[in-house]
Amino acid sequence: MRSAAAWIASGPRHRRIEFLSGLSEGARIALPYLFEFWAHPHQLPPEGDWRTWVILGGRGAGKTRAGAEWVRSQVEGRLPLTKGRCKRLAIIGETFDQAREVMVFGDSGIMACSPPDRRPLWQAGRKCLVWPNGAEAMLYSASEPEALRGPQFDGAWVDELAKWKKARDTWDMLQFGLRLGAHPQVCVTTTPRNVAVLKDIMGYPSTVMTHAPTEANRANLASSFLDEVRERFAHSSLARQELDGMLLEQVDGAMWTQDMLDKLRGGPVPDLQRIVVAVDPPAGDSKKSDACGIVVAGVWTAEDGRRHVHVLEDASARGLSPQGWAQVAVEAARRWKAHRVVAEVNQGGAMVETVLRQVDPDIGVTRVHARDGKSTRAEPVAVLYEQDRVRHNNGMEELEAQMCLMTPMGYEGHGSPDRVDALVWAVTELVHGKGPVTPRVRSA
């Protein structure tokens, strides 16, 4: 999904000429300030009766511009002197200087985004923006949460909350102050980090979220910047956090860590002696339940006789019928010329094998039963990772995110660790399985 501006700009020349020729002089003057026309989808607030809008994004994804434009949409009316939805907002940065230099006076800040007839006046002594219609926005530092004790607001914009050293105290003080107007709202713009307050906010029923990687705003970034950082930090957890804008969770006592996984990712695929596709079917209604875990992996034998595993692909799928995920699993087997499909049958029994054979009657299927808990089954596999006997191809961020939430006491994430379950079945079968090597699945 693209903005209207992108659709026009990427089209033929006559489309641009026709569009601009059809505008009045006033419309052409106003066009640069009509953010709905230029915005990416992640920069526009979702519909609905939400209280907090969290914009997660990579560096340079346009979060600051989105926050500044949201403030404009709250304070401005139809005409410069017309009252807007909000009349008193809080603008909170990690420090006061960052709030002023980035959120107010930055290249994508409020001043740069505002048309001349609606541009607010900066009152340095009060640390306050005042719009022509009388609306005000006070600036605060997240390092001084007590400064929010007393003032009251009908809206707020907070930036880079995940970096705040006193994030919990500042956020709580802000909530007590949001008591003006019919429905106070907060816009949070941040690069994600694994901090409890951000995860709590994202878990509230009244919170909505939009997300975008750095590349979503490629047109407004130096190409050398993207090329450099992608090459330097390729496929690392730092890149997934700072460029892809992903929240990388890590819990105490996890069987896997991001640092561990970063070290075993990438590199050439060795000559594999056996390849399997492991399937962990979802329970219940496929459209409402967890994903169907589908992981492809192969095994090779080192000079010391020990088996090593290379995880080739995470093909897990969500929202599909049994026939749908069976088709995905069979296609993965054909794509990698796998020897067998290993399928957990606790939930579906014979049905699991049946739907796989409906897609490909000749496919080899090994049915496995889960007699132990998920963590118990996963621990021997985690040991193999500690012994540097498992490697991953690139592109398995969602699988690795689940792995970092698996502890000996259970899974600490939401839902079921469907991808990890499939991984565990694949590695266990390849390292400890006793089945013979059978003819590979025929290519489609």
Side-chain angles (χ1 to χ4, degrees):
M1 184 176 181
R2 299 180 297 173
S3 66
W7 180 79
I8 294 171
S10 64
R13 184 170 180 268
H14 71 81
R15 180 189 295 171
R16 298 191 293 274
I17 295 174
E18 291 174 1
F19 171 75
L20 293 173
S21 299
L23 298 178
S24 66
E25 181 179 357
R28 285 196 293 272
I29 294 173
L31 185 61
Y33 302 101
L34 298 178
F35 189 57
E36 293 82 358
F37 179 81
W38 302 98
H40 298 294
H42 73 276
Q43 294 177 304
L44 296 175
E47 297 180 356
D49 189 28
W50 51 267
R51 179 176 174 84
T52 304
W53 171 28
V54 177
I55 308 175
L56 290 183
R59 299 284 188 92
K63 302 185 298 297
T64 302
R65 177 68 184 271
E69 294 285 359
W70 180 81
V71 170
R72 278 191 59 204
S73 72
Q74 300 303 296
V75 300
E76 292 181 4
R78 188 175 64 87
L79 298 174
L81 299 181
T82 305
K83 301 296 183 183
R85 179 181 178 274
C86 293
K87 62 180 182 181
R88 191 176 302 162
L89 287 90
I91 295 178
I92 311 174
E94 183 181 11
T95 66
F96 172 75
D97 287 347
Q98 289 185 356
R100 181 188 59 206
E101 298 302 321
V102 176
M103 303 171 76
V104 175
F105 290 103
D107 292 339
S108 300
I110 293 170
M111 290 297 198
C113 298
S114 299
D117 61 342
R118 297 166 186 250
R119 188 165 294 147
L121 174 67
W122 170 243
Q123 296 184 353
R126 296 181 59 207
K127 301 179 181 178
C128 179
L129 288 171
V130 182
W131 276 264
N133 64 3
E136 296 184 347
M138 303 294 297
L139 269 64
Y140 295 92
S141 168
S143 63
E144 301 175 358
E146 289 299 311
L148 290 163
R149 185 185 294 275
Q152 52 187 355
F153 316 99
D154 48 16
W157 172 27
V158 304
D159 188 50
E160 295 298 354
L161 177 144
K163 290 173 56 182
W164 295 357
K165 292 181 173 61
K166 299 181 179 180
R168 175 72 68 182
D169 291 341
T170 304
W171 180 259
D172 289 346
M173 285 295 101
L174 174 62
Q175 302 314 300
F176 286 119
L178 288 168
R179 54 182 185 263
L180 292 182
H183 185 58
Q185 292 180 313
V186 185
C187 175
V188 178
T189 53
T190 188
T191 301
R193 287 188 177 184
N194 183 31
V195 294
V197 64
L198 177 59
K199 293 190 289 185
D200 288 347
I201 293 169
M202 293 171 61
Y204 296 153
S206 58
T207 296
V208 295
M209 187 183 75
T210 57
H211 166 266
T214 299
E215 277 82 358
N217 199 33
R218 175 184 289 273
N220 297 308
L221 301 172
S223 59
S224 58
F225 162 75
L226 277 174
D227 294 341
E228 173 69 21
V229 295
R230 278 298 182 191
E231 180 178 354
R232 182 174 179 182
F233 301 106
H235 308 296
S236 68
S237 58
L238 185 63
R240 293 203 299 278
Q241 174 178 284
E242 301 295 325
L243 300 179
D244 296 329
M246 293 181 61
L247 179 61
L248 304 180
E249 297 187 78
Q250 183 67 57
V251 297
D252 292 338
M255 297 182 189
W256 293 274
T257 67
Q258 286 294 336
D259 287 342
M260 175 195 298
L261 296 174
D262 284 347
K263 294 174 182 177
L264 56 80
R265 194 182 303 111
V269 178
D271 292 331
L272 300 173
Q273 299 164 319
R274 188 165 184 250
I275 298 174
V276 300
V277 177
V279 179
D280 180 69
D285 186 343
S286 298
K287 295 183 178 180
K288 297 180 180 179
S289 62
D290 298 302
C292 176
I294 303 173
V295 171
V296 187
V299 68
W300 59 281
T301 305
E303 293 182 358
D304 60 4
R306 297 197 303 174
R307 295 181 181 182
H308 291 244
V309 174
H310 199 102
V311 182
L312 301 166
E313 181 184 0
D314 173 18
S316 302
R318 186 182 300 277
L320 299 181
S321 65
Q323 290 74 21
W325 55 252
Q327 182 70 43
V328 172
V330 170
E331 289 175 356
R334 291 170 176 169
R335 185 163 54 250
W336 291 99
K337 296 182 173 63
H339 294 84
R340 297 189 74 76
V341 171
V342 179
E344 181 182 330
V345 296
N346 284 53
Q347 300 293 342
M351 181 276 291
V352 176
E353 183 174 357
T354 298
V355 294
L356 287 166
R357 294 198 185 281
Q358 287 174 349
V359 178
D360 185 348
D362 299 324
I363 196 167
V365 179
T366 296
R367 300 198 298 179
V368 291
H369 299 265
R371 295 180 175 84
D372 299 314
K374 297 178 186 295
S375 296
T376 303
R377 298 197 306 272
E379 282 196 86
V381 174
V383 171
L384 296 174
Y385 279 80
E386 293 173 359
Q387 296 172 347
D388 197 26
R389 293 172 60 187
V390 185
R391 299 195 66 83
H392 286 194
N393 275 353
N394 294 319
M396 284 180 269
E397 291 83 2
E398 292 184 84
L399 166 62
E400 293 172 359
Q402 281 194 358
M403 294 170 70
C404 293
L405 296 175
M406 181 66 75
T407 76
M409 302 303 293
Y411 181 60
E412 297 294 329
H414 298 290
S416 173
D418 32 64
R419 300 168 192 269
V420 178
D421 284 346
L423 170 76
V424 168
W425 287 123
V427 175
T428 301
E429 171 66 21
L430 291 170
V431 176
H432 302 294
K434 299 180 180 179
V437 175
T438 60
R440 294 190 174 194
V441 174
R442 57 181 172 80
S443 300

